[in-house]
C-alpha cells in the first residue's frame, strides 16, 4: 500500500467516523491506547526522570562557572517542556510501540491476514491502522506530560541533594521561568510526533514482504524511519515556534 | 427460463498478468455458471494461486476482464470492490486466521463488519458454521491452539459465515487426513448442489478434484491446456494432462532432467 493512498484512506475513515462512531472501533482504540500508552509509562517515566537529573548536572557544571547556578531550575523547566520531554517520550515510544506495531502488522501481512480482511470487504486501514494511529496520537501528549513532571522531579531531587538547592526555591524559579507557551509548544510537538510515528509504523508494517526475515528487516527500518521523521519534524516545529 | 438468460456467476476474458519478463497468466478465458464447481488444477508454480487472487480482486491484471455475478471488477475502486466482496468467500491455503482473535471471533468478524448485526445473532451463526465443519465447542480457542487441519476448517467456516454466493478455496484439503478430506469434499458438494453456491477450488488433489468438480481447467505455464467436465478431462489425450492426472514422475512436465542436461547444469559457471 503506497503512503499517499494510506493517508487518504485514513482521512476518509476519520471523517466518516465522526458521523458513525461504530467505524472507529472504540474497543480496539482503548486496547491500543493501553498497549501504546499505559504500558510505555514506566519506560517514559524513567527515561525522563534520568534526563531531568542529567540536565541539572550538565547545566550546573557550566552555570556555576559564571555564577548562575540559580538558573539551573529555569534551564530544566524550559528545556524539559519545550524539547526534552516530547523528544525523549517520542524516542521511547518509537523504540517500544512503533516497532511492535510494524512487527504485528508485518506478521499479519506475511500470513495473509491483511488479504483475508480485504476479501471480507473490511478495509485494513479502518480496522487496523485507525485504532493504532489514533491511540499513538492521543497517548503521546499524555505520556509527555507525565514524563515532563517526572523530569522536573528528577531535577529537583538532584538539585536538592547535590547542589543543596531548596526544593521550594527550585519550584518558584520554575514557575517564574516557564510560560504556558512552553508547555503548549511541547504538547503540540508530541501530538504531531504521535501521528507521524503511528502512520509510518503502520505503513512499514503493511508493506512487509519476504516472510520472517522481511518482518525483522522492516521493523528495524520502521524504527529508523520514525526516528528520522520525528527529528526532522522536531527541527521544523522548533523553528516555527521560535520565529512565530 | 433458457440458459442464455442466466448470467455466469464468474466470467474471465483474456486474463493476462506479467511479472517483468515472465507471463504468469497468459490470456485465460473461462466462465462458470451458478451452482457449478470449477476446479483449477496445475503443477506447483503454474499460477493457480495468482489466478485465484485475481478472481477475488487482490491483484489487478495487465489485460483482460473478470466479472463476478455480472459485475466487472478490474476497473472498480476499493469501495465498489468491497460491495462485491460481501457476496464472496475465500478459504486461504493456510487458513489466514486472525491470531489475536478466538475461533468464534474469527468467524463472527465478517458478519459483524458487513453490517450491524446483534451479537447474539452472530453467536448463533458462529455455532451453526462450526457445526457445519465439525468443530462444535471450539469457539473459545485461539488459532495457536489448533492443528493445521482445524485451522483450515475454521477458515472454511469463516468463508461461509456470510453465506456467500461464490466460494473460492485455495487447496481446501491440503494437510487434512483422508476422512476429513472426504468431509470437506462432501461439504463443498452439498453447498453447491443443495444451496446453489458456486465454488472455485484450486487443488492438486486429484481424488478431491474429480469428486467435487462439475468443470475443470488445467493450467500449465500460465495457459489453459485443458478445459471441460471431469469425464472430458479423463478422456483428454493431452500428455501433459495425463501425466498430471495420473501422478506420473516421468513425462512431458520437465521435473526430472536427463543425464546430459543434469551434467550440463552442474558444470555451468
Amino acid at each position: 500500500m503506497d503512503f499517499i493512498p494510506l493517508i487518504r484512506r485514513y482521512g476518509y475513515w476519520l471523517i466518516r467516523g465522526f458521523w458513525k462512531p461504530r467505524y472507529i472501533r472504540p474497543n480496539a482504540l482503548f486496547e491500543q491506547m493501553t498497549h501504546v500508552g499505559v504500558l510505555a509509562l514506566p519506560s517514559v517515566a524513567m527515561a525522563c526522570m534520568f534526563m531531568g537529573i542529567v540536565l541539572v548536572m550538565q547545566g550546573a557544571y557550566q552555570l556555576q562557572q559564571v555564577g548562575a547556578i540559580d538558573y539551573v531550575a529555569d534551564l530544566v523547566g524550559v528545556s524539559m517542556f519545550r524539547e526534552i520531554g516530547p523528544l525523549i517520550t517520542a524516542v521511547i515510544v518509537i523504540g517500544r510501540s512503533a516497532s511492535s506495531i510494524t512487527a504485528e502488522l508485518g506478521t499479519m501481512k506475511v500470513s495473509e491476514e491483511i488479504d483475508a480482511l480485504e476479501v471480507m470487504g473490511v478495509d485494513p486501514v479502518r480496522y487496523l491502522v485507525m485504532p493504532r494511529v489514533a491511540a499513538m496520537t492521543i497517548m503521546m501528549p499524555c505520556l509527555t506530560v507525565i514524563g515532563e513532571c517526572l523530569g522536573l522531579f528528577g531535577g529537583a531531587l538532584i538539585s536538592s541533594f547535590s547542589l543543596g538547592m531548596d526544593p521550594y526555591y527550585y519550584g518558584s524559579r520554575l514557575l517564574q521561568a516557564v510560560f504556558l507557551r512552553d508547555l503548549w509548544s511541547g504538547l503540540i510537538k508530541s501530538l504531531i510526533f504521535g501521528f507521524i510515528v503511528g502512520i509510518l509504523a503502520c505503513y512499514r508494517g503493511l508493506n512487509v514482504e519476504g516472510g520472517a526475515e522481511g518482518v525483522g528487516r522492516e521493523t528495524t527500518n520502521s524504527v529508523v524511519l520514525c526516528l528520522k521523521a520525528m527529528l526532522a519534524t522536531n527541527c521544523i516545529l522548533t523553528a516555527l515556534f521560535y520565529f512565530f | 427460463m433458457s440458459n442464455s438468460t442466466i448470467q455466469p456467476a464468474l466470467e474471465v476474458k483474456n486474463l493476462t498478468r506479467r511479472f517483468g519478463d515472465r507471463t504468469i497468466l497468459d490470456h485465460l478465458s473461462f466462465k462458470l455458471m451458478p451452482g457449478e464447481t470449477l476446479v483449477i488444477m496445475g503443477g506447483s508454480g503454474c499460477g493457480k494461486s495468482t489466478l485465484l487472487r485475481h478472481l477475488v480482486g487482490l491483484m489487478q491484471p495487465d489485460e483482460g476482464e473478470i466479472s463476478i455475478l455480472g459485475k466487472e471488477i478490474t476497473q472498480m475502486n476499493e469501495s465498489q470492490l468491497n460491495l462485491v466482496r460481501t457476496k464472496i468467500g475465500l478459504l486461504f491455503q493456510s487458513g489466514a486466521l486472525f491470531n489475536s482473535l478466538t475461533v468464534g471471533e474469527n468467524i463472527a468478524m465478517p458478519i459483524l463488519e458487513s453490517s450491524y448485526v446483534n451479537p447474539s445473532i452472530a453467536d448463533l451463526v458462529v455455532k451453526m458454521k462450526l457445526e457445519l465443519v465439525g468443530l462444535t465447542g471450539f469457539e473459545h480457542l485461539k488459532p495457536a491452539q489448533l492443528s493445521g487441519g482445524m485451522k483450515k476448517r475454521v477458515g472454511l467456516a469463516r468463508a461461509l459465515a456470510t453465506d456467500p454466493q461464490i466460494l473460492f478455496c485455495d487447496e481446501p484439503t491440503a494437510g487434512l487426513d483422508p476422512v476429513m478430506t472426504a468431509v470437506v469434499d462432501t461439504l463443498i458438494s452439498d453447498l453447491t448442489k443443495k444451496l446453489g453456491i458456486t465454488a472455485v477450488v484450486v487443488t492438486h488433489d486429484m481424488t478431491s478434484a474429480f469428486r467435487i468438480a462439475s468443470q475443470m481447467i488445467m493450467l500449465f505455464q500460465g495457459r489453459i491446456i485443458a478445459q471441460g467436465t471431469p469425464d472430458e478431462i479423463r478422456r483428454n489425450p493431452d500428455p501433459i494432462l495425463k501425466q498430471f492426472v495420473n501422478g506420473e514422475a516421468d513425462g512431458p512436465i520437465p521435473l526430472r532432467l536427463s543425464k546430459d542436461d543434469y551434467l550440463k547444469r552442474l558444470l555451468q559457471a
Side-chain angles (χ1 to χ4, degrees), chain A residues 158-233:
Chain A
I158 199 73
S159 299
S160 171
F161 285 113
S162 285
L163 304 179
M165 189 181 282
D166 180 26
Y168 289 108
Y169 182 68
Y170 178 93
S172 68
R173 286 229 52 119
L174 212 57
L175 286 170
Q176 281 170 28
V178 172
F179 295 97
L180 207 55
R181 183 190 149 86
D182 299 322
L183 177 65
W184 280 119
S185 64
L187 291 181
I188 290 170
K189 276 187 184 177
S190 278
L191 198 77
I192 295 171
F193 290 163
F195 176 77
I196 288 173
V197 168
I199 205 85
L200 285 175
C202 290
Y203 169 64
R204 295 315 312 181
L206 291 175
N207 286 290
V208 163
E209 282 175 13
E213 192 249 341
V215 173
R217 188 182 57 239
E218 282 303 327
T219 303
T220 307
N221 289 345
S222 167
V223 170
V224 171
L225 180 65
C226 288
L227 279 170
K228 285 181 188 170
M230 184 270 291
L231 291 169
T233 308

Side-chain angles (χ1 to χ4, degrees), chain A residues 76-199:
Chain A
V76 172
V78 174
S79 325
M80 191 57 71
F81 279 126
R82 289 181 73 106
E83 196 64 33
I84 305 297
L87 199 72
I88 295 295
T89 304
V91 168
I92 298 293
V93 169
I94 288 169
R96 192 194 165 278
S97 305
S99 60
S100 161
I101 287 173
T102 303
E104 187 187 359
L105 295 186
T107 305
M108 291 179 78
K109 175 87 178 358
V110 298
S111 55
E112 297 182 302
E113 291 177 43
I114 308 287
D115 289 341
L117 277 175
E118 290 191 35
V119 173
M120 283 181 221
V122 177
D123 190 341
V125 175
R126 176 182 74 80
Y127 195 82
L128 296 171
V129 174
M130 273 204 69
R132 284 160 176 79
V133 175
M136 194 74 93
T137 309
I138 293 167
M139 294 311 288
M140 193 77 90
C142 300
L143 287 169
T144 301
V145 167
I146 297 172
E148 284 166 353
C149 292
L150 282 161
L152 298 176
F153 173 74
L157 215 58
I158 199 73
S159 299
S160 171
F161 285 113
S162 285
L163 304 179
M165 189 181 282
D166 180 26
Y168 289 108
Y169 182 68
Y170 178 93
S172 68
R173 286 229 52 119
L174 212 57
L175 286 170
Q176 281 170 28
V178 172
F179 295 97
L180 207 55
R181 183 190 149 86
D182 299 322
L183 177 65
W184 280 119
S185 64
L187 291 181
I188 290 170
K189 276 187 184 177
S190 278
L191 198 77
I192 295 171
F193 290 163
F195 176 77
I196 288 173
V197 168
I199 205 85

Side-chain angles (χ1 to χ4, degrees), chain A residues 33 54-55 61 65 67 69 98 111 135 139 159 174 188 191 194 198 237:
Chain A
M33 283 168 68
V54 164
L55 268 175
Y61 178 70
Q65 291 179 15
I69 192 75
S111 55
M139 294 311 288
S159 299
L174 212 57
I188 290 170
L191 198 77
L237 290 172

Side-chain angles (χ1 to χ4, degrees), chain B residues 147-213:
Chain B
S147 68
M150 283 173 167
K151 283 181 193 171
K152 193 155 281 197
R153 284 189 278 157
V154 172
L156 182 58
R158 188 179 68 184
L160 295 170
T162 52
D163 295 326
Q165 293 180 41
I166 307 180
L167 176 66
F168 295 90
C169 300
D170 193 353
E171 308 277 1
T173 56
L176 299 183
D177 61 64
V179 171
M180 202 41 64
T181 297
V183 166
V184 170
D185 288 344
T186 307
L187 181 60
I188 294 174
S189 287
D190 284 348
L191 288 169
T192 52
K193 293 188 176 84
K194 294 177 184 169
L195 299 180
I197 290 177
T198 309
V200 176
V201 179
V202 166
T203 186
H204 44 237
D205 180 341
M206 287 293 98
T207 311
S208 280
F210 283 104
R211 196 184 277 163
I212 62 174

Side-chain angles (χ1 to χ4, degrees), chain B residues 41-204:
Chain B
M41 311 180 286
S44 303
C46 71
K48 308 188 295 295
S49 293
T50 304
L51 172 59
L52 200 65
R53 294 174 79 81
H54 279 86
L55 297 180
V56 298
L58 287 175
M59 286 177 140
Q60 300 301 315
D62 294 318
E63 294 168 34
E65 291 175 2
I66 302 168
S67 296
I68 294 182
L69 301 169
K71 294 186 168 54
E72 209 286 307
I73 68 167
T74 54
Q75 304 301 322
M76 282 184 177
N77 62 32
E78 206 60 34
S79 305
Q80 293 166 323
L81 202 47
N82 283 342
L83 282 176
V84 175
R85 284 171 174 159
T86 56
K87 299 185 174 66
I88 67 174
L90 171 59
L91 168 59
F92 287 83
Q93 191 167 348
S94 58
L97 302 182
F98 304 116
N99 285 304
S100 57
L101 303 180
T102 62
V103 164
E105 286 165 347
N106 262 280
I107 298 169
M109 206 237 261
I111 307 166
L112 295 171
E113 292 294 329
S114 60
S115 60
Y116 180 71
V117 171
N118 192 302
S120 54
I121 304 283
D123 282 346
L124 192 60
V125 174
V126 164
K127 287 187 167 73
M128 285 164 58
K129 301 305 174 188
L130 283 174
E131 185 75 45
L132 206 58
V133 298
L135 286 174
T136 310
F138 280 72
E139 49 264 50
H140 301 298
L141 294 183
K142 283 272 182 83
Q145 297 170 284
L146 304 177
S147 68
M150 283 173 167
K151 283 181 193 171
K152 193 155 281 197
R153 284 189 278 157
V154 172
L156 182 58
R158 188 179 68 184
L160 295 170
T162 52
D163 295 326
Q165 293 180 41
I166 307 180
L167 176 66
F168 295 90
C169 300
D170 193 353
E171 308 277 1
T173 56
L176 299 183
D177 61 64
V179 171
M180 202 41 64
T181 297
V183 166
V184 170
D185 288 344
T186 307
L187 181 60
I188 294 174
S189 287
D190 284 348
L191 288 169
T192 52
K193 293 188 176 84
K194 294 177 184 169
L195 299 180
I197 290 177
T198 309
V200 176
V201 179
V202 166
T203 186
H204 44 237

